[in-house]
Amino acid sequence: QQQVKQSPQSLIVQKGGISIINCAYENTAFDYFPWYQQFPGKGPALLIAIRPDVSEKKEGRFTISFNKSAKQFSLHIMDSQPGDSATYFCAVGGGGTSYGKLTFGQGTILTVHP
Amino acid sequence: NAGVTQTPKFQVLKTGQSMTLQCAQDMNHEYMSWYRQDPGMGLRLIHYSVGAGITDQGEVPNGYNVSRSTTEDFPLRLLSAAPSQTSVYFCASRDTGGNQPQHFGDGTRLSIL
């Protein structure tokens, strides 16, 4: 079963624009929602994460918006830069699934044109 | 502090061969995991471990074995390689306590002919 659905699969944005990637999940028991960033030839690295007790978290140009009732969360990249070009994964975890188990979305390939 | 180190970086196998993917971490993390990454499917959990001597299956464990004899090492064994196991494999570790971030290695790209 697909517990996390991520969209779009790919995204092309001009430099300075806003990139938006969305994720939807099914299990309301999840209580940890991270976003990972992956550059070619490298492993994913944690970018930003949110807990369900807040609706938004901002770190620099990166913001997570969280809608608990809709079971959706999204990543917004403001003032997108060519260096942001990477693959982004949402994930869900917690909710009793301890031991570091995360369920990942399908990934979004972001290309920022200069 | 090297973090999570995976070897080899690339490997080509023939169907039916066996091999071990190595993973080592120097952060003294108790939790370690193996994922495979396939286009359009994200990262899927193969096996994980919560400490030396303790392992459990993830989402896609068939065809893979793991063991955890030390805190530092978590090797992944392919028993009889199949073309469906062609993938990029990532090892990750994390600290205990709450939702700590996963630290990933740079992966092993494996092709099965």
Side-chain angles (χ1 to χ4, degrees):
Chain A
Q1 70 281 15
Q2 208 171 19
Q3 296 197 62
V4 183
K5 293 184 180 180
Q6 183 174 342
S7 62
Q9 282 189 310
S10 62
L11 180 63
I12 298 175
V13 174
Q14 293 297 318
K15 178 182 177 181
I18 302 174
S19 304
I20 302 174
I21 305 171
N22 302 296
C23 271
Y25 62 97
E26 298 177 357
N27 188 341
T28 56
F30 293 127
D31 63 0
Y32 176 61
F33 304 91
W35 284 91
Y36 279 77
Q37 180 187 54
Q38 182 183 30
F39 293 106
K42 296 294 185 181
L46 180 66
L47 183 63
I48 186 173
I50 197 169
R51 296 295 297 269
D53 52 348
V54 296
S55 60
E56 185 175 284
K57 181 176 182 179
K58 184 176 181 179
E59 291 184 0
R61 296 184 293 108
F62 301 92
T63 300
I64 297 180
S65 297
F66 182 77
N67 187 330
K68 187 174 182 178
S69 61
K71 294 185 287 184
Q72 295 177 348
F73 60 109
S74 59
L75 175 69
H76 297 238
I77 305 175
M78 311 300 289
D79 187 26
S80 299
Q81 299 296 312
D84 297 329
S85 296
T87 300
Y88 292 82
F89 293 97
C90 63
V92 294
T97 59
S98 56
Y99 317 128
K101 291 175 67 175
L102 291 175
T103 300
F104 286 85
Q106 296 73 29
T108 296
I109 301 172
L110 172 65
T111 303
V112 181
H113 284 156
Chain B
N1 190 340
V4 178
T5 302
Q6 291 185 239
T7 56
K9 294 188 184 301
F10 304 93
Q11 184 70 49
V12 178
L13 292 178
K14 294 181 179 179
T15 297
Q17 287 185 314
S18 63
M19 82 159 293
T20 300
L21 279 62
Q22 302 292 343
C23 176
Q25 53 96 4
D26 60 0
M27 296 173 282
N28 202 32
H29 288 165
E30 290 294 329
Y31 296 168
M32 297 186 74
S33 307
W34 275 102
Y35 294 86
R36 59 177 290 174
Q37 183 177 7
D38 302 291
M41 302 190 73
L43 292 100
R44 292 180 291 168
L45 183 65
I46 304 171
H47 285 286
Y48 65 98
S49 169
V50 299
I54 306 171
T55 64
D56 205 345
Q57 296 181 352
E59 180 185 355
V60 289
N62 293 338
Y64 308 95
N65 273 358
V66 292
S67 60
R68 185 98 178 269
S69 57
T70 67
T71 299
E72 294 78 19
D73 300 301
F74 191 41
L76 178 72
R77 297 183 187 85
L78 279 69
L79 308 174
S80 178
S84 61
Q85 294 178 303
T86 293
S87 187
V88 182
Y89 291 85
F90 288 98
C91 178
S93 73
R94 61 163 285 227
D95 204 351
T96 56
N99 293 305
Q100 298 295 319
Q102 297 267 12
H103 297 264
F104 285 86
D106 285 339
T108 294
R109 187 175 297 274
L110 182 63
S111 294
I112 315 296
L113 304 178

